[in-house]
Structures are given as C-alpha cells and as structure tokens.
Amino acid sequence: GESVGLHLPTLSVQEGDNSIINCAYSNSASDYFIWYKQESGKGPQFIIDIRSNMDKRQGQRVTVLLNKTVKHLSLQIAATQPGDSAVYFCAERAGFQKLVFGTGTRLLVSP
Amino acid sequence: DSGVTQTPKHLITATGQRVTLRCSPRSGDLSVYWYQQSLDQGLQFLIQYYNGEERAKGNILERFSAQQFPDLHSELNLSSLELGDSALYFCASSASGAGIYEQYFGPGTRLTVT
C-alpha cells in the first residue's frame, strides 16, 4: 500500500536515463546527510551518505553531491532502472543523532 | 531485509484507545529511533533510545511514550488515540548513540484509528 504523501514532486524518466533528484536542506550547521529510498509499503532504505567535509561521494550507480554554499544536496542515479522507482528522501543530521527528513521526491521509471 | 523487525504490521483501533508498537533492533545495535510518517507531514522523528536510556526527543506528543528494555527491544505506547494519529510508525536502529552512523529502518506498523 501507499506509504508516503500524495502530493510529492515527481520525476519521470525513461529506463536507461540518468536521474537527478534534488534536495534543499535547512540547517547550515548540519554535518551529515543521507539519501534514503522508500518503496511502497516498505521502510526507508539507506542508499548513500556524505559528510559535510566532502563535496561528492560515489556508490554503485549513485553519486551524491553536496553544495554547502547554497545548502543543496543532489542524488544522481546512473542508468535508471524500473526497480529504482520509489520515493527518495534526503535527511540531514540536525543535532545529536537526530535526522530531519525532507519531503521526498517520487521517481517513476518507465520501461 | 534491514534486520529491524516491527510488530504488528497493521493495527486498527478506535479513538480513545491505547496501543503498543514493538521494535527489535538489528543484532548489536544499541540505538533505537521511532518515526511517524503521515500523508501530510512526511517522516517525523519522535524519540531515540540508546542502551535503555532516552537520548533525544523530537516531535513526540505527551500522549505517546516509549521505552527500551534490557534486551534492547523497544516499545512505543500511544494512548488516547485520535484520528490524526493514523500513520505509519517506523523504528530504526543504529550501532551507536554517538557519532555518525546510518540508521536501518524496519518495515513499519500501519496504525489506523477509526
């Protein structure tokens, strides 16, 4: 069943395209950021993280970019697959172990 | 599978009632976090426990309480339930209460208050 809000920004891409999901964070003092993927009916799943002393971090098919000047985070997914369809959340660590989540972006991948 | 388990998966109850949600963290994880996810507010941090003690508090209502037991499982108690409490409740765990560690989420409990 549906597990997240109905009024999320949506990014629609074709299979094989590269996807870029953006996130603006609020706290300039945040020192740690995470991207989570949430499929329908499931809990958020860790994708990749980045510390504030880095600008870029790469994982398998995913890259996170951090621009502290404008408080912006992005998640790039290479060669997007139908299985990547989900809601993606960024989260910032605001205070001791407290994560603040963004509102999420729904990614729809068409075959 | 994250290794975090939550029970029950679904819960339907009436306004005014009290329910208990249960969470077992990943083996070895000392921290447990509770989150509420509703349609209009996204994921909201409620509370964190570390090795049995409350470590951080978020937007948790006074009608809600939690605890972490010696075996590290945690329970979230919701009382005097209102329609607006209907949501998904997630538990997450991490290796430590200090430093920077990713949180692993359970599958959630869907609470419906009628």
Side-chain angles (χ1 to χ4, degrees), chain A residues 1-8 31-34 36 38 41-47 49-51 87 89 93 96-103, chain B residues 9 31 33 35 37-40 42-45 48 55-59 88 90 94 96-108 110:
Chain A
E2 199 59 56
S3 59
V4 294
L6 299 176
H7 303 294
L8 295 173
D31 60 357
Y32 178 59
F33 305 86
I34 308 178
Y36 281 93
Q38 187 175 22
K42 297 184 178 180
Q45 176 187 0
F46 173 89
I47 301 174
D49 59 0
I50 188 168
R51 300 187 184 206
V87 176
F89 293 96
R93 188 176 81 141
F96 189 73
Q97 276 292 310
K98 176 182 173 182
L99 287 180
V100 175
F101 283 79
T103 54
Chain B
K9 189 171 178 61
S31 271
Y33 310 78
Y35 291 86
Q37 186 175 45
S38 56
L39 286 179
D40 59 351
L43 267 165
Q44 298 287 322
F45 168 71
Q48 177 205 357
R55 180 60 67 96
K57 223 169 186 176
N59 303 320
L88 274 165
F90 288 104
S94 70
S96 172
I100 300 175
Y101 290 94
E102 64 187 81
Q103 297 179 17
Y104 295 87
F105 282 76
R110 180 178 293 277

Side-chain angles (χ1 to χ4, degrees), chain B residues 6-64:
Chain B
Q6 290 187 248
T7 57
K9 189 171 178 61
H10 300 279
L11 197 50
I12 301 174
T13 189
T15 54
Q17 296 298 305
R18 173 189 169 94
V19 298
T20 298
L21 313 183
R22 184 189 168 102
C23 168
S24 292
R26 292 190 319 155
S27 177
D29 282 359
L30 299 179
S31 271
V32 169
Y33 310 78
W34 286 98
Y35 291 86
Q36 179 191 57
Q37 186 175 45
S38 56
L39 286 179
D40 59 351
Q41 291 196 1
L43 267 165
Q44 298 287 322
F45 168 71
L46 295 178
I47 197 164
Q48 177 205 357
Y49 277 81
Y50 173 73
N51 204 20
E53 295 191 0
E54 183 182 305
R55 180 60 67 96
K57 223 169 186 176
N59 303 320
I60 188 166
L61 300 172
E62 288 190 6
R63 300 183 287 109
F64 297 179

